[in-house]
Amino acid sequence: MAQILLHGDLHATIYEIDRLHIGAFTKYFQKIIELVKKAIGYKNTATKFYVKIGLENTSVGQTRPLRHEHTNLCWNESFRIYCAHMASHVIFTIKVDNFIGAELIGWARIPVSELISGDEIDTWLTILHTDNEPILLLGRPMINVKLQFFDVSRERYWSRGLKTPDFPGVPFTFFPQRNGCRVTLYQDAHVPDNFIPKIPLAGGKFYEPHRCWEDIFDAIYNAKHMIYITGWSVYTEITLVRDRRRPKAGGDLTLGELLKKKANEGVRVLLLVWDDRTSVGWLKEDGLMTTHDKETGKYFRDTNVHCVLCPRNPDDGRSIIQDIEIDTLFTHHQKIVVVDSEMPNGSSNIRRLVSFIGGIDLCDGRYDTQFHSLFRTLDSVHHDDFHQRNIAGATIRKGGPREPWHDIHCRLEGPVAWDVLYNFEQRWKKQGGKDMLLPLQELERIIIPPSPVMFPDDHETWNVQLLRSIDGGSAFGFPYAPQEVAKSGLVSDKNNIIDRSIQDGYIHAIRRASRFIYIENQYFLGSSFSWYSKDIKDADVGALHLIPKELSLKIVSKIEAGEPFRVYVVVPMWPEGYPETAAVQAILDWQRRTMEMMYTDIVEALQAKGIVADPKDYLTFFCLGNREVKKSNEYEPSEKPDSNTDYSLAQQARRGMIYVHAKMMIVDDEYIIIGSANINHRSMDGARDSEIAMGAYQPYHLSSPNPARGQIYGLRMALWYEHMGLLDDSFGHPHSIECIQRVNKIGQKNWDLYTKEDLEKDLPGHLLSYPIGVSSDGTVTELPGMEYFPDTKARVLGSVAEYYPSILTT
């Protein structure tokens, strides 16, 4: 049967299975499994059945497991499934669960062609053997399901933008949208005075950049009651204030000293730091990720700072193999600071909550400015904070290039700040051990309750929604009953209860997009169900999130409608690490397959319309890099790198990539997502890395009828000035062909200068065209003479890692 594109929302309910009998051998096998589980101390030994919902070979939902005590199994479990899949059938697979895996019982299916009309289907389906024959000997069991498909074109906001200041936010999520908030946007850890030119905004105003680490320092330094922090890494030896032209009282304190000082003043200081399971003695306790977790734990031991190293614990009900995978392969990736702060009027008696979230960890290697220097700060702000994880053997003793760091963060005030606090409380109650949380009911006279901080008619007000990727293994208090799970905006996935709202937020924002999308992200891979690979089995990869496919389908829909639409994506040259290693090469391979899927979709749409055009005029990828001529007063290292190494080549060429660690998407200059989540399956799944983000807009600065000119626009223009070193009139209309061709031209010119053999002056801008070609059929190819990244033997397009688990690299 021909496959049909399902693009929209599929509402599915699994009611029950009737007349399910299992054979004698299966009963005997399950009894053996239960005895083994008891013998090794496994708590839950009962045999349980569950149903998996699939679109062809792609799993899109699973019921909770039920014990098989009668011939009838009743779930009454509903799912809202976002679809961007080609499929001929919706398939219901019935399995019996055990602690080492699952055993197939049978399956049922319904043709996708019956769903396209949008009519509700409530039916009983015959459960079949793997040979497609009914299970007649076992009483002909059947499954009762209800399905209804809502095509994306029927969505109220499809391709129209926000349109109204009353947009209610992403539906069916744990946290609702909060109105009357204030948001402060940050690019990088610090912005020097007078770096950003005047960027005009609506109402005669100009964009004012803010300084992330200085603001976090002020928030911590001035806290009176509480400082709550979570991090992938928190390093006690960094200083937050480093600009000598902007000194602050206490600014010379390290983060560790600052937190101990506040705790000794009576402030409740709580830290949740990811416990990297590879942080062991034989790895010098730094771990494979060098997060300093054990070092941070020891630093705060026997102090008034309560620091908990928390592993990424699995949720209940998983198999032993899955438990091991989650505990060792996945991380706590949220970056949060929550403090009490003074009121805007300066009152010290009444306090309010302020929260920070985004991509910047409070650790070494993160402090940087928009100059992103490779060599010129090695005798100043980066002498004691030399970070370079992409070149083997790099140290401050041997000199640069250091690894410049580009990132995005934000500060949240108003009701949404309390949602960030609630997230912290859920995590502390789950993994913090001793109950050290401040009982906020005792502080009612001191901290104002959740309430708007902006008047409704203030044109700088924000509507903000907190989004997460997290499951019941990391957050306390998730419900288990299916009806309560659905009511709470959560997802039931077998025994796991998941908040997957970050992916939901991205999907909704892309579907709403009317003119353009601008993305900065550390990773860009996914939608493997739609790859066009011939050398591997895409179904085995498991990078199932929808974001890349949603982007390509959006571009295709605009080509079909004859409307302009552009997507700009900025990623690192390669994921952090030595680029020749199997893990980095595997990620680059996934990235190449993702790009190729998207370009193939675009090329086919152009050909169908008879349009001759460069697909990079619709979707374009960039990375960031820098190149600096040597100055007479530079830091002189005491040692030199070994000759003919990546290190010596990069040092001689005076170049290096700027590491893009941002996790941000801007849509039509009116909506923005900022957080800790990468565009990969680890971050978007919800049951892998724990993440946090926000989706927000200013109701007085929408993109219709006139282009939006609020703070989101200001940030994008400031970022483009940082990356390109100039502001062009076309940048105000990024959906135009003139703009994308101008940006592509700048990126290509900078790449040519970056790879040029001789260096006459500093690189005029940091934005580099990503070094790939696109053939007439959408295939992503090497550029002539550019098989490897400069100064390396690492393939730009990556390579298949046959012995590396895809669950780790996707």
Side-chain angles (χ1 to χ4, degrees):
M1 186 176 290
Q3 292 190 340
I4 299 172
L5 175 63
L6 274 182
H7 189 203
D9 298 350
L10 177 63
H11 293 191
T13 300
I14 309 295
Y15 287 118
E16 60 181 324
I17 291 177
D18 192 27
R19 298 190 298 275
L20 178 63
H21 303 271
I22 58 176
F25 174 77
T26 300
K27 289 181 179 179
Y28 176 75
F29 176 74
Q30 294 304 321
K31 189 64 177 178
I32 294 297
I33 290 292
E34 291 180 14
L35 291 173
V36 171
K37 287 195 282 187
K38 285 183 179 179
I40 65 174
Y42 201 73
K43 294 179 182 179
N44 191 352
T45 64
T47 298
K48 295 184 178 181
F49 290 74
Y50 66 95
V51 180
K52 180 181 289 189
I53 307 172
L55 296 174
E56 295 303 314
N57 296 322
T58 303
S59 176
V60 294
Q62 293 184 102
T63 67
R64 69 197 191 284
L66 291 182
R67 186 163 184 170
H68 184 240
E69 297 176 332
H70 308 285
T71 60
N72 180 278
L73 289 164
C74 186
W75 281 276
N76 287 329
E77 197 162 343
S78 296
F79 301 84
R80 296 184 185 93
I81 300 166
Y82 295 108
C83 305
H85 304 73
M86 295 293 295
S88 59
H89 292 88
V90 179
I91 301 173
F92 304 92
T93 306
I94 298 91
K95 292 188 174 184
V96 60
D97 196 24
N98 62 59
F99 78 127
I100 58 173
E103 179 188 359
L104 177 64
I105 298 299
W107 58 276
R109 66 183 184 181
I110 187 168
V112 166
S113 57
E114 297 183 15
L115 302 174
I116 291 300
S117 67
D119 294 336
E120 183 181 285
I121 298 174
D122 191 331
T123 186
W124 285 88
L125 302 173
T126 300
I127 298 175
L128 307 174
H129 275 303
T130 53
D131 59 4
N132 293 343
E133 294 297 326
I135 311 177
L136 297 175
L137 296 178
L138 302 182
R140 198 181 182 105
M142 303 185 76
I143 182 170
N144 183 201
V145 301
K146 182 172 71 175
L147 296 169
Q148 188 170 17
F149 175 66
F150 298 88
D151 190 84
V152 71
S153 61
R154 296 167 60 187
E155 293 183 5
R156 178 182 177 188
Y157 296 99
W158 164 246
S159 215
R160 298 176 65 239
L162 294 177
K163 284 293 184 183
T164 169
D166 297 323
F167 172 69
V170 182
F172 311 119
T173 55
F174 189 84
F175 292 107
Q177 180 175 278
R178 309 296 187 182
N179 299 341
C181 299
R182 180 184 287 115
V183 176
T184 304
L185 305 172
Y186 301 109
Q187 61 188 107
D188 303 313
H190 187 66
V191 180
D193 289 337
N194 303 318
F195 175 81
I196 304 295
K198 284 190 174 182
I199 299 172
L201 305 181
K205 297 183 178 181
F206 292 93
Y207 180 73
E208 292 288 338
H210 298 271
R211 299 168 179 85
C212 181
W213 274 18
E214 285 190 7
D215 285 358
I216 289 177
F217 171 84
D218 289 341
I220 293 174
Y221 191 82
N222 294 315
K224 301 294 184 185
H225 302 281
M226 57 190 295
I227 301 168
Y228 294 171
I229 298 173
T230 72
W232 176 85
S233 174
V234 177
Y235 190 38
T236 58
E237 302 307 306
I238 64 165
T239 54
L240 298 174
V241 179
R242 304 190 194 182
D243 191 335
R244 295 172 182 173
R245 294 161 296 184
R246 299 175 55 84
K248 289 179 176 287
D252 57 340
L253 293 172
T254 66
L255 178 62
E257 293 168 341
L258 176 61
L259 293 176
K260 287 199 294 186
K261 175 181 184 296
K262 299 307 296 184
N264 291 338
E265 292 174 0
V267 178
R268 184 65 52 85
V269 182
L270 305 181
L271 273 68
L272 285 172
V273 180
W274 173 52
D275 184 0
D276 182 358
R277 292 303 205 189
T278 66
S279 298
V280 292
W282 61 276
L283 284 172
K284 300 181 181 179
E285 296 196 349
D286 269 349
L288 295 174
M289 298 293 185
T290 61
T291 60
H292 308 289
D293 53 328
K294 295 296 188 289
E295 190 176 342
T296 298
K298 289 180 181 177
Y299 182 91
F300 289 121
R301 189 176 298 159
D302 300 323
T303 72
N304 290 322
V305 175
H306 304 278
C307 178
V308 175
L309 303 184
C310 49
R312 174 60 181 91
N313 285 349
D315 202 352
D316 298 331
R318 290 181 177 267
S319 70
I320 289 178
I321 301 300
Q322 290 170 324
D323 286 353
I324 294 172
E325 282 180 345
I326 291 168
D327 192 37
T328 57
L329 300 183
F330 302 131
T331 76
H332 285 306
H333 204 234
Q334 295 181 346
K335 302 102 169 52
I336 296 171
V337 176
V338 182
V339 300
D340 68 286
S341 177
E342 67 180 11
M343 297 292 289
N345 62 10
S347 171
S348 60
N349 295 325
I350 301 177
R351 312 288 289 179
R352 61 189 173 118
L353 282 185
V354 172
S355 299
F356 297 81
I357 67 170
I360 307 180
D361 280 291
L362 299 177
C363 67
D364 48 333
R366 279 21 178 201
Y367 183 90
D368 213 344
T369 70
Q370 293 68 48
F371 293 108
H372 296 302
S373 179
L374 301 169
F375 298 94
R376 294 173 185 164
T377 56
L378 298 184
D379 59 351
S380 56
V381 294
H382 291 117
H383 186 271
D384 297 323
D385 189 9
F386 181 87
H387 184 81
Q388 178 54 275
R389 293 194 60 209
N390 303 301
I391 300 177
T395 68
I396 186 64
R397 297 188 310 277
K398 297 180 180 180
R402 60 175 283 270
E403 180 184 349
W405 199 270
H406 174 66
D407 224 324
I408 306 289
H409 217 71
C410 66
R411 179 176 64 194
L412 305 176
E413 303 171 59
V416 71
W418 287 79
D419 292 336
V420 181
L421 171 64
Y422 187 68
N423 170 81
F424 182 92
E425 291 179 331
Q426 282 189 306
R427 287 195 54 194
W428 185 273
K429 289 176 182 178
K430 190 70 178 185
Q431 291 192 275
K434 190 176 180 181
D435 184 12
M436 300 299 300
L437 294 165
L438 281 181
L440 292 181
Q441 61 270 24
E442 297 180 10
L443 299 175
E444 289 179 349
R445 296 181 181 178
I446 302 173
I447 299 180
I448 61 171
S451 55
V453 295
M454 306 289 284
F455 290 111
D457 59 352
D458 190 326
H459 283 215
E460 292 306 307
T461 189
W462 287 77
N463 296 345
V464 190
Q465 188 169 19
L466 197 68
L467 309 169
R468 292 189 298 183
S469 291
I470 200 167
D471 66 9
S474 302
F476 174 82
F478 281 179
Y480 183 73
Q483 293 78 10
E484 292 302 314
V485 169
K487 189 186 299 182
S488 300
L490 302 171
V491 178
S492 176
D493 187 62
K494 209 171 171 182
N495 252 336
N496 203 5
I497 308 302
I498 301 170
D499 185 340
R500 197 176 285 158
S501 52
I502 294 180
Q503 183 179 169
D504 296 354
Y506 270 88
I507 291 170
H508 274 264
I510 294 167
R511 291 182 177 182
R512 288 195 309 270
S514 175
R515 296 175 179 174
F516 83 96
I517 291 174
Y518 175 60
I519 292 172
E520 293 187 1
N521 206 281
Q522 182 184 2
Y523 294 90
F524 192 85
L525 61 94
S527 303
S528 58
F529 57 83
S530 192
W531 293 351
Y532 304 115
S533 304
K534 297 178 181 177
D535 57 331
I536 66 169
K537 191 175 180 181
D538 292 335
D540 294 339
V541 176
L544 302 178
H545 74 88
L546 271 60
I547 293 168
K549 190 65 177 181
E550 289 284 352
L551 288 166
S552 68
L553 289 176
K554 168 63 68 169
I555 297 170
V556 167
S557 72
K558 290 293 187 176
I559 292 172
E560 293 173 345
E563 299 174 1
F565 192 86
R566 319 293 169 191
V567 175
Y568 306 76
V569 183
V570 179
V571 294
M573 206 172 289
W574 65 80
E576 191 177 39
Y578 305 151
E580 300 91 347
T581 58
V584 173
Q585 283 290 296
I587 295 169
L588 289 170
D589 180 56
W590 307 139
Q591 177 180 276
R592 188 264 305 172
R593 295 174 195 273
T594 303
M595 292 176 173
E596 193 164 274
M597 174 269 293
M598 299 175 73
Y599 279 124
T600 300
D601 290 348
I602 293 167
V603 166
E604 290 178 353
L606 290 171
Q607 292 174 346
K609 294 286 287 187
I611 299 172
V612 178
D614 185 345
K616 288 188 178 181
D617 287 346
Y618 298 83
L619 168 67
T620 184
F621 290 89
F622 302 94
C623 54
L624 302 180
N626 199 4
R627 204 169 181 193
E628 297 173 332
V629 296
K630 187 167 184 177
K631 292 194 172 182
S632 58
N633 60 347
E634 268 188 18
Y635 168 78
E636 290 293 340
S638 59
E639 303 174 24
K640 293 292 182 183
D642 293 340
S643 60
N644 298 318
T645 60
D646 291 2
Y647 197 175
S648 64
L649 292 172
Q651 194 171 91
Q652 291 163 15
R654 304 280 298 184
R655 65 188 167 200
M657 76 160 164
I658 298 168
Y659 196 62
V660 177
H661 192 258
K663 300 92 168 56
M664 179 204 72
M665 183 171 76
I666 289 174
V667 178
D668 296 334
D669 281 337
E670 68 178 3
Y671 188 84
I672 189 168
I673 295 176
I674 292 174
S676 66
N678 297 310
I679 298 181
N680 60 7
H681 204 66
R682 294 177 63 106
S683 288
M684 294 296 167
D685 181 74
R688 297 188 178 186
D689 291 351
S690 63
E691 309 282 5
I692 195 166
M694 68 86 172
Y697 67 97
Q698 292 184 281
Y700 287 96
H701 299 286
L702 305 183
S703 63
S704 179
N706 300 310
R709 291 296 183 261
Q711 295 298 316
I712 298 171
Y713 164 81
L715 174 67
R716 181 182 63 80
M717 294 293 279
L719 289 168
W720 283 23
Y721 179 79
E722 172 186 344
H723 299 335
M724 289 181 269
L726 57 89
L727 290 178
D728 189 90
D729 288 343
S730 67
F731 293 178
H733 306 280
H735 63 287
S736 68
I737 187 68
E738 294 78 15
C739 181
I740 199 165
Q741 289 183 345
R742 176 78 167 121
V743 175
N744 279 336
K745 184 177 180 180
I746 291 170
Q748 187 58 53
K749 177 185 176 182
N750 288 339
W751 177 258
D752 292 342
L753 292 172
Y754 183 83
T755 56
K756 190 178 177 183
E757 187 169 335
D758 57 328
L759 176 64
E760 299 171 357
K761 58 183 179 180
D762 290 354
L763 205 64
H766 298 150
L767 191 77
L768 313 176
S769 291
Y770 201 84
I772 57 169
V774 181
S775 69
S776 59
D777 65 352
T779 301
V780 171
T781 64
E782 297 170 359
L783 294 177
M786 195 53 64
E787 180 181 0
Y788 306 113
F789 290 110
D791 310 319
T792 78
K793 287 298 181 183
R795 295 191 68 240
V796 171
L797 301 185
S799 57
V800 176
E802 296 181 4
Y803 304 106
Y804 225 91
S806 63
I807 193 173
L808 181 60
T809 55
T810 56

